[in-house]
Amino acid sequence: MMTLRWVMKDDFRLYAYVILENHLHLLAQSPQLDKDIARFKSYTARLLIVYLQQRKVRTILEQLPFYKKKHKADRALQFW
């Protein structure tokens, strides 16, 4: 998981993870865990949206705006 390595460059420690069909679980430690998880989610969302756009995966891309939370006014799509 390249993106977890990106977060781990700071004081983020990852002890275990499991990737499931539609979510993941992490066993992690960090002085600022909430901010590190937010950074991880933001970074992976950007990478995955670009990946889907490059491969023209319209089915998923069309669902992302539909499931976007109304209070998330700073983005057009919501991955997580």
Side-chain angles (χ1 to χ4, degrees), residues 1-9 12 14 17 26 40:
M1 301 239 353
M2 172 186 74
T3 55
L4 285 172
R5 285 191 205 116
W6 178 77
V7 174
M8 290 171 62
K9 68 182 179 186
F12 183 88
L14 179 66
Y17 68 91
L26 303 173
F40 167 76

Side-chain angles (χ1 to χ4, degrees), residues 63-70 72-73 75-78:
Q63 292 176 5
L64 297 179
F66 178 79
Y67 290 107
K68 183 178 86 70
K69 306 290 185 208
K70 301 237 186 275
K72 301 280 187 171
R75 65 199 77 183
L77 306 174
Q78 183 167 347

Side-chain angles (χ1 to χ4, degrees), residues 52 56-68 76-77:
L52 294 169
K56 298 177 176 54
V57 184
R58 289 189 177 89
T59 305
I60 297 173
L61 288 168
E62 290 170 358
Q63 292 176 5
L64 297 179
F66 178 79
Y67 290 107
K68 183 178 86 70
L77 306 174

Side-chain angles (χ1 to χ4, degrees), residues 6 38-53 79-80:
W6 178 77
R39 288 178 34 230
F40 167 76
K41 289 171 63 175
S42 175
Y43 183 70
T44 55
R46 283 193 309 269
L47 290 179
L48 290 166
I49 289 169
V50 168
Y51 177 87
L52 294 169
Q53 289 169 335
F79 193 86
W80 293 103

